[in-house]
Amino acid sequence: MKRIGVLTSGGDAPGMNASLRAVVRMSIHRGHRVFAFYNGYKGLVENDSAEMYNRSVGDILTRGGTIIGTTRYPAFQDPEIIKKAARHMNLLDMDGLIIIGGDGSFRGASDLSDHGVPVIGLPGTIDNDITGTDYTIGYDTAVDTVLDCIKKLRDTASSHGRTIIIEVMGRHSGWIAMRSGLAGGAEAILVPEIPFDLEDLCHTLESGIARGKKHSLVVVAEGVMSASELAHMMKDLVGFVANTVVLGYVQRGGSPTANDIILASRLGARAVDEIAGGNSGIMIGEVKGDIVTTPLKEVLAEKKLIDPTIFHLAEELVH
Ligand code: F6P
């Protein structure tokens, strides 16, 4: 029988609850005990925790967010704080900790691992910028949320003959912008990974209007610039008028898609067996349908960049 800890950390993502549920239910199914630390690493440092039971994770499978809370916890960069967290894990006689979060959370996990705490990372972030997994938990849902907004914005842009610039999340990556822009047939998609020329962008939009397009939609990842900055630059350069929408935190909420629920459940269940098997310092992901493990140090060594073939397909199909 093992004593397994679990926490959610960093920006929340739809599917985190499904992962938590899988960790709890599989732990109990395997005869282990499982304890949640509330509000990410803060709960670990302050020992704000509780044992979890099957009923503790009832009716959360299709709920967005995380019922055990999350934080961004900068204090966790202090070695003394990390040592305090490691001490708590020992005092609680824990056999390992499962961390559901993004790259920032994995840096904390790696530091904990360096202090002798067995850790397993699960990629829970809408950004999809994590190496070692094709998709991160929450990404599919966020893209669907943005696509729904694109469809609604296309209606009003078309009615008024307007151009709308839609700013989406992704921190420093363009995964959300690329996939939602392709699915939504955006006239232009701007991502941090691929430079763009402002004059070319304006020319693309103006020539589309000249060909009879009733509207234009531009999806810009926040890592490039804000929608309002882009609108101002377009107006200053060629007098092009565009409306702007910042989707913001709506991309982080919502009921997870089936893909995210199943991904989250598969990864959570495997994390239990890896921890119980004495493995540590790894992240669990899904690659080409298979559940695989990758050393955390490798995951942290490089971000997963967007697939340029998908990006260029969007450009080739828009006319
Ligand atoms: O990492 C997920 C994310 O939603 C990013 O896409 C975004 O830039 C960031 O979190 C926002 O951070 P916060 O929730 O702390 O404002």
Side-chain angles (χ1 to χ4, degrees):
M1 187 277 288
K2 303 288 186 184
R3 291 166 59 87
I4 297 172
V6 60
L7 60 82
T8 47
S9 172
D12 69 315
M16 278 187 164
N17 280 328
S19 233
L20 172 68
R21 172 181 177 272
V23 168
V24 171
R25 295 267 169 96
M26 185 55 79
S27 294
I28 294 166
H29 178 67
R30 296 278 201 246
H32 307 310
R33 295 176 70 181
V34 53
F35 302 80
F37 291 95
Y38 292 103
N39 304 313
Y41 290 122
K42 185 171 184 290
L44 178 59
V45 172
E46 297 173 356
N47 194 17
D48 182 9
S49 63
E51 184 160 7
M52 303 293 273
Y53 305 96
N54 281 325
R55 288 317 317 150
S56 310
V57 290
D59 302 327
I60 69 167
L61 188 59
T62 59
R63 278 179 54 194
T66 163
I67 63 165
I68 57 173
T70 182
T71 51
R72 296 188 191 283
Y73 195 54
F76 214 60
Q77 290 159 25
D78 176 349
E80 290 312 308
I81 297 288
I82 293 170
K83 285 178 193 161
K84 184 177 179 184
R87 278 198 304 276
H88 274 160
M89 288 290 287
N90 292 332
L91 285 172
L92 293 166
D93 194 23
M94 302 298 281
D95 293 289
L97 180 65
I98 296 169
I99 293 130
I100 308 168
D103 58 344
S105 305
F106 289 171
R107 274 189 284 278
S110 182
D111 291 340
L112 270 175
S113 180
D114 292 344
H115 285 79
V117 175
V119 296
I120 300 276
L122 295 182
T125 171
I126 65 169
D127 295 352
N128 200 45
D129 56 351
I130 304 289
T131 303
T133 189
D134 289 345
Y135 297 105
T136 56
I137 297 164
Y139 175 62
D140 189 57
T141 306
V143 168
D144 266 11
T145 297
V146 173
L147 177 57
D148 185 55
C149 295
I150 288 175
K151 291 187 281 188
K152 288 177 166 68
L153 291 167
R154 177 186 300 289
D155 291 344
T156 180
S158 190
S159 303
H160 287 267
R162 284 176 172 162
T163 292
I164 299 181
I165 301 171
I166 305 163
E167 180 186 322
V168 300
M169 282 186 162
R171 200 180 283 279
H172 308 302
S173 76
W175 282 99
I176 294 175
M178 179 186 72
R179 198 171 172 88
S180 61
L182 174 60
E187 276 65 34
I189 305 168
L190 307 184
V191 295
E193 298 90 338
I194 300 174
F196 79 100
D197 179 277
L198 185 62
E199 280 193 62
D200 288 349
L201 171 62
C202 294
H203 176 69
T204 299
L205 299 177
E206 285 168 337
S207 55
I209 294 166
R211 291 197 310 275
K213 272 185 173 288
K214 293 192 183 330
H215 64 276
S216 299
L217 296 179
V218 178
V219 177
V220 58
E222 63 180 339
V224 176
M225 65 177 75
S226 69
S228 58
E229 278 176 286
L230 180 59
H232 280 117
M233 288 169 68
M234 291 165 70
K235 186 157 176 27
D236 292 348
L237 183 71
V238 294
F240 199 96
V241 176
N243 296 82
T244 60
V245 173
V246 180
L247 295 184
Y249 293 96
V250 73
Q251 298 163 90
R252 288 254 288 273
S255 180
T257 59
N259 286 337
D260 268 333
I261 290 173
I262 292 163
L263 173 66
S265 300
R266 293 185 73 195
L267 300 187
R270 174 67 176 270
V272 171
D273 288 340
E274 291 293 339
I275 277 275
N279 296 326
S280 172
I282 56 174
M283 183 201 79
I284 298 172
E286 181 187 277
V287 175
K288 295 185 174 56
D290 294 331
I291 304 301
V292 300
T293 63
T294 306
L296 276 174
K297 304 273 189 211
E298 218 175 282
V299 172
L300 290 169
E302 59 175 325
K303 274 189 179 301
K304 184 178 67 186
L305 299 180
I306 62 167
D307 178 347
T309 54
I310 300 177
F311 180 81
H312 293 304
L313 174 64
E315 287 180 317
E316 289 153 356
L317 295 183
V318 167
H319 197 274

